[in-house]
Amino acid sequence: MARRSPQEKKQLSYAKDRRNDYGENDKASRKNLPRKRARVHRANRHRAHAELHGATGPLDVEASDAAETRLRGLRPKRFKKQPDVPLGEYVRWKLGRRSAE
């Protein structure tokens, strides 16, 4: 078996290694994913609370019905984790962004 050059080893590593959408360190997912998901859910709760807070006071069927209709008409924010990509693709994308700036 022939010895591999450092460049060949690097290409093999790029093909095997997988990096995540949330940055260069895979351990950052422990913090970043829950933080991103929590931000989305917090924004949805805040919007719902603000809509329903306006319908407080004496019982008014029309006002409460209008608030519920507005709340159901809003599309909630969504969170979706992006799949991992091979390190080679991630590096090409990152270098392409740097050269574009």
Side-chain angles (χ1 to χ4, degrees):
M1 177 183 271
R3 292 182 61 132
R4 293 190 175 111
S5 69
Q7 290 80 10
E8 290 172 330
K9 289 180 182 178
K10 190 174 194 177
Q11 290 302 322
L12 284 173
S13 173
Y14 277 10
K16 289 181 191 174
D17 194 2
R18 300 190 74 78
R19 292 297 162 121
N20 301 299
D21 178 50
Y22 36 80
E24 297 178 9
N25 182 359
D26 61 341
K27 297 194 175 39
S29 67
R30 295 180 188 150
K31 296 177 184 173
N32 291 346
L33 284 180
R35 186 181 305 140
K36 287 179 183 179
R37 185 170 44 239
R39 185 177 296 145
V40 167
H41 292 306
R42 188 178 305 119
N44 291 336
R45 283 193 313 269
H46 178 74
R47 184 184 303 157
H49 180 73
E51 284 292 330
L52 295 176
H53 190 295
T56 58
L59 183 61
D60 185 5
V61 177
E62 290 182 17
S64 61
D65 191 36
E68 185 179 359
T69 304
R70 280 193 309 271
L71 187 59
R72 291 181 187 261
L74 295 172
R75 196 170 110 213
K77 294 184 178 190
R78 296 180 184 264
F79 169 80
K80 182 178 178 187
K81 180 181 182 272
Q82 299 298 322
D84 298 344
V85 296
L87 181 59
E89 291 178 25
Y90 180 78
V91 169
R92 278 192 295 278
W93 172 79
K94 191 81 163 178
L95 291 176
R97 274 186 60 193
R98 287 182 185 167
S99 63
E101 293 173 354

